[in-house]
Amino acid sequence: HVLLALLDGSGHRLVGKIGFGESIDKIIESFKFPVVGAAGPVADAVLKRSDIFVTGPRDRLYEGTRFRQIASEPVFGLFPLVAGGAVVGCLYFDRREPKSFDQAAMSALGALRDQLCRTLARSRAGSILTTAVPGR
């Protein structure tokens, strides 16, 4: 799966918008995670502007979180999207097999994130650019 998620108008919640992959509509519908005052991979990606990458079932960093109930694949990542100097969303991706994310796949995901950031920064839609984490 690959999914674009943006912060809501308050900047307090990350919400899935569009994506692709098997059963993506169900994931998009469920992809609503608090950011401010929360713990877990979404808050880490957005508040710390950190790339998150969980490499497989042995990586138990976020085990037991609500996020893992929604994003159940053993390998996943969240790349923050920065536009106009503020985090406005994340690119989420997952796979079942760790070997699926070789250097070429990670480079392609990084290029997609960079393109999304450029597109969001150029966007004239004020609702996108004004949606940022408060105080960030």
Side-chain angles (χ1 to χ4, degrees), residues 3 5 14 31 33 40-46 50-54 62 67 76-81 90-93 113:
L3 179 137
L14 190 69
F31 207 94
F33 296 99
V42 172
D44 286 352
V46 174
S50 297
D51 291 348
I52 304 298
F53 187 59
V54 172
Y62 298 108
F67 183 84
F76 73 90
L78 284 160
F79 288 170
L81 301 172
C90 282
L91 177 66
Y92 165 79
F93 53 93
R113 180 250 306 268

Side-chain angles (χ1 to χ4, degrees), residues 1-83:
H1 304 104
V2 174
L3 179 137
L4 168 66
L6 297 174
L7 290 170
D8 66 6
S10 71
H12 291 111
R13 196 167 69 140
L14 190 69
V15 179
K17 295 296 183 182
I18 189 169
F20 59 90
E22 185 178 319
S23 303
I24 194 66
D25 291 336
K26 181 180 176 188
I27 295 171
I28 291 170
E29 179 64 31
S30 302
F31 207 94
K32 296 174 178 73
F33 296 99
V35 174
V36 177
V42 172
D44 286 352
V46 174
L47 297 176
K48 297 177 183 176
R49 294 183 181 210
S50 297
D51 291 348
I52 304 298
F53 187 59
V54 172
T55 60
R58 291 184 179 173
D59 186 340
R60 301 191 191 291
L61 181 60
Y62 298 108
E63 190 174 308
T65 63
R66 180 177 169 273
F67 183 84
R68 295 303 288 147
Q69 294 170 353
I70 303 300
S72 60
E73 296 298 346
V75 181
F76 73 90
L78 284 160
F79 288 170
L81 301 172
V82 178

Side-chain angles (χ1 to χ4, degrees), residues 72-127:
S72 60
E73 296 298 346
V75 181
F76 73 90
L78 284 160
F79 288 170
L81 301 172
V82 178
V87 176
V88 296
C90 282
L91 177 66
Y92 165 79
F93 53 93
D94 67 28
R95 291 302 278 271
R96 288 189 180 102
E97 297 294 326
K99 63 185 175 189
S100 302
F101 286 114
D102 58 11
Q103 186 60 41
M106 292 304 289
S107 293
L109 286 164
L112 176 59
R113 180 250 306 268
D114 294 345
Q115 182 60 45
L116 284 167
C117 289
R118 286 189 296 272
T119 300
L120 290 167
R122 285 192 309 260
S123 175
R124 301 280 187 225
S127 63

